[in-house]
Amino acid sequence: MDSHHDSNLSNSSQVGQPFTRLEDRRHLAGQGGFVADLRLPGIRDVAFLRSSMAHARLGPIAVPADAPAGAVWTAEAFHGLVKPIRAVLDRPAYRPSDQPVMAEGTVRHVGEIVAAVLADNRALAEDLAERLEPAYDPLPAITDPEQALLPESAPLHPGWADNVYMTMGRTTGDFDAMVARADVHVTRHLRMERVAAMPLETRGCVARFDRGSGVLTLWIATQRPHLIRTMLAEQLTGIEERDIRVIAPDVGGGFGGKSNLYPEEILLAAMAMRLPHPVRWIEDRWEHMVSASHSRQHVQTITAHATKEGELLAVDVRFLVDGGAYAMRTSTPAVEANMASSVLPGPYKFQAYRFEATTVATNKTPVGPFRGVGRPAAVFAMERIMEETAAAIGMDPVEFRLRNMIQPEEHPFTTISGLVYDSGDYPSLLTKAAQSIRAPGKGDAPANIAIGIGFGCYTEQTAHGAQEWHRRGSPFVYGFEAARVRIDPSGGVLVSTGIQSHGQGLETSLAQIAGDVLGVSYDRVRVVHGDTELCPYGMGTVASRSLVMAGGAVEGACQRLAAKIRRIAAHNLDCAADDVLLAGGEAQGPGGSIPLDAVARIAYLELQKLPLDVEPALDILYCYRPPVETGAYSSGVHAAKVAVDLDSGHVKILDFVVAEDCGRVINPLIVDGQIAGGVAQGIGQALLEEFQYDDQGQPTKVTLADYLVPGAPELVNVRIIHQETLSPFTVHGAKGLGEGGAIGPPAAVANAVSDALRQFGVDVRRVPIRPEDLWEALRP
Amino acid sequence: MKFPAFDYARPAGLDAALDLLAGEAAVLSGGQSLSPMMGFRVARPEKLVDISRLSALRGAALEPDGTLVIGAAVTHAMIEDGALPGPLGGFLARVAGGIAYRAIRNRGTIGGSLCQADPAADWPCVMSLLDAVLVLRRAGGERQVPVRAFLLGHLMTAIEPGELLTVIRIPPQPGARFGMAKSTRKLGEFAEGIAAACLTPGAARVTLGALEVPPATLAVDPALVTGPQPARLTSSPLYAAVDAALKAADATDPAGYRHHLAVLTGCRALIEAAQP
Amino acid sequence: MTDIAITINGTAWEGTVEPRLSLADLIRGELTLTGTHLGCEHGVCGACNVEVDGVPMRSCLMPAAAADGCAITTIEGQYGEMAERLRAAFTTHHALQCGFCTSGMMATALDILRRGLGRDEATIRRELAGNICRCTGYQGIVAAILHVAQETTP
C-alpha cells in the first residue's frame, strides 16, 4: 500500500488493521436476526394485491363474499389515517408528485399497491388477495423516457402540463469559444438501462402497537431507521414521533434500495395501530422486482470538444432519466440526473461545460438510489467520450486522460460544475492501473476472440455535510452523526450510533476506532445501531458517509470519555491527567496503573474515589459535524480486460484492476470487500442486469432467472491497488468508499469492449452490453 | 410467494401411483420446475402424486442389445456422478453436470425434465439426438413413444392424463462420438442456444434446442465436421451447412440472433464430437 | 394435512404439515431455525439451501411433506470439522458481508469440499453458480473454500 502522507494519528494500533469482523460469528452460526426471523405472539401476515396494469383507472374492487371481516383493506380504509407521500426538493424547477400510499382512482405502474389482505399466514393472505377483482379501465402507458417527452403523451399526474419532474441546465465557461477552438468534436448517444439494487434479502416490515404504552414499534429492513421514523410521524395521524420506535435489525443488504420511505411501511404502521395483534409483511421476490425502487435508466447525448494535441476544451451533455411513476421520498427521481450532471467532470479539468438534466415520469416502478447514484451513468458517459475522443485524435487513451487530469497539487480544486475536491492524486491512480492491467500484454487469442482493455476513472463525493445537502435543495439537510459511548461498571464498552450497518462491517470498524482511543481491544467494544430507542439520532447508512461521519462521532465521543478516564485515573494514581496513557485495557500513569474496569467502577459505584469536580458515570453523547462540509472525495480508476467472442457476441471479463484512494483505510479487509462487492454489481450492470417492459408497460423480467445478477463464474478476482491520500477535512483522513466499486465498471467494461472491437468499427453505446447487439453490429 | 393449496400423496409403489394418477392428479418428481410455477401460481394442481422415491423409477441398466434404460426419477446428480452404465454414461454424465446447479441437480430428475418440455432444457435436446423412446405407463397399460413424437412444443408433450413417464430407453449408438454446446448469459441459467451432436462413421447429426418448436435434428455432411475449422466459425462451410439445414427446417426467424446461436452451438457441438 | 417424521440437525421430529408448506417454511417456522433464509422462493438464489440426506437442496422448492423420512441439516446443525474450518475461513477471508446468503453458501461450500472440487478457483466458481451473493463479489467465498481445500488435502 502506498501512503502519500504520514498518519495524523498517534497511538493507532488498531485502525488500519485487517481485523476479522465481529459480525461474522452470529451469521456463520445461523443466529443473525433479520426482520423475517422475528417471532411475535399473535402475529398475522399481510399480502398486497398489486396492480397488474401499468396505467389504468381503478374502479371498485370486488371482494369475495366469503372473505373474513376485516381481512381486506382498500384505500378507503386508510382515509384519514395516512397522508400521501410527497417528496420535495427545494428547487424551483422541481415538480413534486404525490405517491399514494395505496392506489385510489388510478394506478400508474405494475406493482402499485391496490389492496392489503390480512390473514393468519402469508399463504392464506395470498389466497384471498388473488381472488380480489379490481376493475381496471386501461389507459395508454408511457414506457420509455423519450416517449414521455412526446407531445402526444398525456401527463400522468393531475395538474401537470407534461411529464417532466425536473429539467435544469447550465453553461459554464465560454462554451462557444471553446467549441470554435477545438479541432475534434466527438458525439455519442448512449443508454444505461434500468437496474435495481437487488439485495438478497427482500424488503420487510413488522409492526406492533402497544396499547398500554401507546408505543408503535416497527421492525423494518431499512438503511435509515431514524429518518423513516421522522417521516412516519409525518405520514401517520394520531401518533407522535416520540411514540414511534423503528428498529432495523440485521438487514440483508441495501445498496440504496432500502433507503427511501416505502408505502408498505406506512400501511403496516396504520394497520397495527388499529389491530390488537402485530402484523407482518415480508416482500417476495416478484414484489421486489416491481415495487422496490429501480435505478439509473439514462438516455444520454455527450459531445467532447478537444484539440488535436489532446487538450479537452469543453463537454456538452444531456441526461434524460426515466424517473418512473412517482417521486420517492426522500431521494426524488431527480437525484439521478442532477447528480450525474454535477459529477460528470470527474477527475478532469476543462474550460467549458454545458449540461441539461431532465427527469420524466413514466408508467414504471419509481426510481431511487442505488450504489453510486448518478455517478455510474456520468462516468459511463464521460469515460466513453474520453475513449472515443482519444481514438479520434489518435492518442493513447491513457495519455489523453493523463493530459487532462487535475494534478494533486491543485487541491483543493473547484470543478467546472462547482464541486470542491479536497485531495487526491488521479494521475498516479491511472498510471498504476494502466501498468497493472497492461503488464501481461493482451496475450495470444484465437481469431474468434478479440481482447480489449478499458478504463473508468472517477471521483466519488462522500460524507458531504450540510452545505452540500442544502445546495442540492434537500428538504432534510443532513450533516452530522452522533455516537453515544458508555463504559459499564465492569469496563465493557458500548457504542451506539445512528448509522445502520447492513454488511459494511461498521460494528467492527467503529470498534477499532473506539478501541484505539480507549486503549482496549476492538473485540471488547460492542457497537449498537439500528434502533431509534437505543441509539442517538442519525441519518443512516447512505451516501458513503457512515465510516467518516459515525467514525468522527465515535472518535470524538471516545476522546471526551478518555479525558474523563484520565482525570479519574490521575486522581487515584496521584499524577497529572496528561501523564495518563490509555492502553492495554488500563489507565497507565508514570508510577502505576489502574485497569479500565476499576476506573469504571469508581465512576459508578465507588464515588468516594471520584474527584468532586468530575461528573459520575462514563457515558457520553457526541455529535460530529465536519468543519468543512463539501465532502471528502475518494477517487479511483477501474481497468478491465475483456474477451469478446466474435462469433457469439459474448463478453468475458479476463482481468479487473481497481486503483483506489479512499484516504485512510480503517480496516483493509472490509475496504477490499466493499470494493470487490461494488465491482460485482457494476459488472452486472455492464453485462447482465436490466429491467425491460413491453409496450403495455408490463415488466418482462420479474424473476432472478431473467433479471440476471452476476454469479461467481461471471466474475474474476478483483486486483486492488491502494493509495492513501488523507482527506484534510475528516477526523481520520478517511474518505467514504461504499459506492466507488460500482461506479467504474460500466465505463471500464464498455471501453474494453470498444477497444476490442475498434478494428471492426464497433463501439459500445449501451449497457448492459448484449451479445445480440454486438453480433448484430459485427455481422458482415 | 407461497404455493396454492394442494393434496399430496406419496404412494409406496408404481401401481399405487398409477391408480392415483388415474383420478385427476399431477406428478411431482423433483419439482424443480413445477415448484416455482406453483409459487408464481401459474400452475395449481389440486393433487400431487410424489413419484420421486419410487425405486422402480430410480435405477438404470444396460440391456443385452446395448439399449440403455433409465428410470424417470433418476436425478441429474445421479447421472452426473456416473449412475449410467455403458458407453453413453460418460457423455450423459457431462450433460447432466451442465444442468442448472448442483442443488437443483440433486433433486431434479431426467423424467421431470422431459415432461416439463422446456425447449431450452438439456434432456429434451439430448434425448432427441439419441432417438430415445419413452415408456408411458397408465393403470393397466403402457405405450412407447419416440421422444420426437413426445415433445410437441414449448412446455407441451404427448403425455395424457393418467399417464406416467416411467422409463427412458436409449438405443445403442455403435461407434458414435458425442458433443454438446450451450450458450447462456449466465452459467446455469436458461440456455439461449443449445445443441447436441453425434458423429458416427459416415454420418453426422445435430439436434438444436432452445427454439420455439421441439428440438430439431439435422443431418450434416460429416466431411464438413471432421476437417480443420477456421477460427471464425461463422465463416466456415460447416456453419453454412447447419444454417441452411435449420432454415430448411423453418424453425426460427433466420435473420435473428437465436437462429444464429442455434447454428453456432450446433457447429460447436459437432466439432466437439469430432475431437479425438 | 400430512404426517411426517424427519431428523432435523440430528434430532427426530414428528408433526403434521399442510402439503403446501415448503421445507424452508417448516424449518423457519415451526422448527424456529431461522438461519435458513428465503431470497427468491423460486430456486435461483440458493439462500435456502439445506442438506437433505447429506446433499444440498433448495428448501424453498421442496414441500415439507416430500422430506418425510429425510435427515435435514441446517446451518445451525453444521458442526463437523470441515464446517468449523469453513467458518474460520469465511471470517479470515471476509466471505460474508450482510450474512443473508451465508447459510446457503455454507451448505454449497461444504458440498464442494466433500466432492473434492475445492482445488482450483475456476471449479469453485463454477460450483458456486447456484448461490447468489450480492455483497462480496464472491472473492472471499472462493478464497475461503480454496483455503479449506488446501488445508484438508494431504
Side-chain angles (χ1 to χ4, degrees), chain A residues 369-381:
Chain A
F370 170 28
R371 206 175 199 165
V373 188
R375 286 159 290 196
V379 171
F380 175 64

Side-chain angles (χ1 to χ4, degrees), chain A residues 21 28 39 127 689 710 712, chain C residues 20 28 87 97 134 138:
Chain A
R21 300 194 323 160
L28 285 164
R39 296 288 173 268
D127 289 350
E689 299 179 35
Chain C
R20 66 154 141 183
R28 291 179 42 76
R87 280 193 176 93
Q97 288 182 23
R134 191 60 162 165
Y138 308 95

Side-chain angles (χ1 to χ4, degrees), chain B residues 231-259:
Chain B
R232 287 292 303 271
L233 270 179
T234 39
S235 53
S236 67
L238 176 61
Y239 184 94
V242 178
D243 183 50
L246 183 57
K247 279 175 180 155
D250 199 21
T252 52
D253 165 13
Y257 181 66
R258 295 297 282 265
H259 172 90

Side-chain angles (χ1 to χ4, degrees), chain A residues 230-312:
Chain A
T230 296
M231 291 189 279
L232 280 171
E234 293 172 12
Q235 299 287 157
L236 296 166
T237 57
I239 192 160
E240 287 184 56
E241 182 169 3
R242 179 197 68 199
D243 295 329
I244 301 174
R245 177 180 186 181
V246 173
I247 299 171
D250 275 325
V251 173
F255 319 112
K258 292 174 181 167
S259 65
N260 273 322
L261 173 71
Y262 281 101
E264 292 88 349
E265 295 153 7
I266 302 167
L267 292 171
L268 267 280
M271 290 172 81
M273 286 171 68
R274 268 122 207 120
L275 291 168
H277 55 77
V279 289
R280 166 175 59 199
W281 165 71
I282 303 300
E283 186 181 53
D284 69 32
R285 186 56 64 178
W286 175 80
E287 291 184 281
H288 190 80
M289 294 273 178
V290 297
S291 66
S293 58
H294 290 180
S295 294
R296 324 278 196 243
Q297 194 154 19
H298 281 235
V299 178
Q300 310 168 329
T301 301
I302 184 164
T303 303
H305 307 275
T307 67
K308 59 181 187 300
E309 292 78 26
E311 186 189 355
L312 179 66

